[in-house]
Amino acid sequence: MSLPLEGLSAIVTGAGRGLGRAEALELARLGAAVVVNDYGQRGRDGSGDASAGPAEEVAAEIRAAGGTALAHTGDVGDFQQARELVGLAITEYGKLDILVNNAGILRDRMVFSLSEEEWDAVIRVHLKGHFNTTRFAAAHWRERSKAAGGPVYGRIVNTSSEAFLAGSAGQPNYAAAKGGIVGLTTSTALALAKYGVTANVICPRARTRMTEDVFARVEQPAEGLDPLAPEHVAPLVGYLASPAAERINGQLLVVHGGMVAVVERPRVQAKFDSKQDAFTHEELDTLLTAHYADRPPGETFAAAEVLALKRG
């Protein structure tokens, strides 16, 4: 009996530790050949090949278990290094089938304290990093589809966050980047569907090195798997990367602690029409002030209720 991802190749970014590591291991367990990307020590020739560091440790772990993997230590926030990453997978494995974008950093501050450098760094790694790899993977699939005269196999799994859905007062840069990733994903899903490619986005909750301060107050159980363990997230990534998920495209799913929630797309809650050619201040005052008069204090477009989701 063949494995679900047998014969397929994958890239996982930010895969040296935490969530990305668990995802890379899961894809390999399901049969994929994996390029494990994690920014770090680069080869002496300036290439992305690593001889040490977290990326190589995960690749070695996959190979020790009988899988196929190699490491890449380039910076996905750099356009050229992202090109090299995608090119490495194509060169080594003949093609790229799966792209899992996970790499990220945190620079948490309130908006009135955030520096330009802290804003730019987070947007660069998360949002630009997702774009960079997607851009080169998409070009590869488009070329393959044209050569084949029809659809090819392609899967993108992007990583957003509940910080985007629910709002996060101390993470304006992170929330903005993660919201941008959702827009990038839905746009990519529509653009690449005709080539046979799907693109979906997950909002995971996991205890990792990056989020250790965020979840410091959430106790780990004395026995059993931590509800915030990355191992709760990795199976969904493996599934979305598989042929079984071919009808799932442009979707957003929240996942953690043995639970997956499908998030509904935004819908129009109310609509108002001007009684003349254009609205006046007075007319808007009459319509919108009354509409919002009885709304709960503090309610915004953010869906804070997602933070209460749990297995049960």
Side-chain angles (χ1 to χ4, degrees):
M1 182 177 177
S2 64
L3 296 170
L5 303 184
E6 188 172 328
L8 302 178
S9 65
I11 290 171
V12 183
T13 71
R17 301 179 178 88
L19 190 55
R21 172 183 173 273
E23 292 167 347
L25 292 175
E26 176 68 5
L27 295 182
R29 188 187 70 81
L30 295 176
V34 183
V35 177
V36 179
N37 164 265
D38 200 84
Y39 182 51
Q41 180 180 346
R42 295 174 65 78
R44 293 181 180 178
D45 60 356
S47 72
D49 295 329
S51 58
E56 176 54 34
E57 290 173 2
V58 175
E61 187 175 355
I62 290 172
R63 293 192 296 267
T68 302
L70 55 89
H72 179 274
T73 57
D75 175 8
V76 295
D78 181 277
F79 196 67
Q80 182 57 37
Q81 291 181 47
R83 184 201 300 266
E84 293 170 0
L85 170 59
V86 173
L88 177 64
I90 296 168
T91 299
E92 293 295 324
Y93 301 139
K95 60 184 173 60
L96 174 65
D97 302 294
I98 300 160
L99 171 63
V100 179
N101 283 309
N102 169 74
I105 60 172
L106 290 179
R107 299 290 186 270
D108 293 351
R109 291 190 190 279
M110 301 295 285
V111 69
F112 42 76
S113 301
L114 195 68
S115 71
E116 180 181 14
E117 292 76 16
E118 290 164 337
W119 172 271
D120 288 348
V122 169
I123 296 297
R124 178 184 182 277
V125 176
H126 287 274
L127 184 52
K128 187 182 179 186
H130 273 61
F131 160 71
N132 286 345
T133 54
T134 297
R135 185 259 183 254
F136 294 111
H140 169 65
W141 288 320
R142 180 171 178 265
E143 291 170 4
R144 279 177 53 197
S145 178
K146 285 186 174 183
V152 297
Y153 192 96
R155 298 286 188 271
I156 298 173
V157 182
N158 287 333
T159 307
S160 183
S161 169
E162 292 168 299
F164 151 69
L165 286 172
S168 181
Q171 297 179 302
N173 47 1
Y174 183 71
K178 291 305 191 182
I181 286 168
V182 174
L184 172 65
T185 304
T186 55
S187 174
T188 301
L190 292 173
L192 300 186
K194 65 181 178 181
Y195 302 120
V197 179
T198 67
N200 294 289
V201 60
I202 63 171
C203 292
R205 191 185 301 179
R207 195 193 308 273
T208 67
R209 189 178 65 162
M210 190 179 82
T211 62
E212 59 186 355
D213 292 338
V214 177
F215 298 123
R217 297 182 180 180
V218 182
E219 294 184 5
Q220 298 189 43
E223 298 180 358
L225 188 63
D226 181 0
L228 293 176
E231 286 75 17
H232 287 296
V233 177
L236 176 62
V237 173
Y239 167 74
L240 291 173
S242 75
E246 65 177 344
R247 291 180 57 83
I248 304 175
N249 192 30
Q251 302 299 310
L252 188 153
L253 302 96
V254 176
V255 54
H256 58 82
M259 179 217 73
V260 173
V262 178
V263 178
E264 188 175 27
R265 68 183 186 272
R267 296 185 181 276
V268 177
Q269 192 269 332
K271 176 179 174 290
F272 302 96
D273 297 320
S274 174
K275 293 183 179 179
Q276 53 275 330
D277 288 342
F279 277 111
T280 64
H281 173 84
E282 291 75 18
E283 189 177 18
L284 289 171
D285 183 19
T286 300
L287 296 171
L288 294 179
T289 301
H291 177 73
Y292 283 101
D294 297 325
R295 286 291 187 86
E299 181 185 81
T300 71
F301 183 76
E305 61 271 19
V306 300
L307 299 179
L309 289 172
K310 63 181 181 179
R311 181 181 182 182

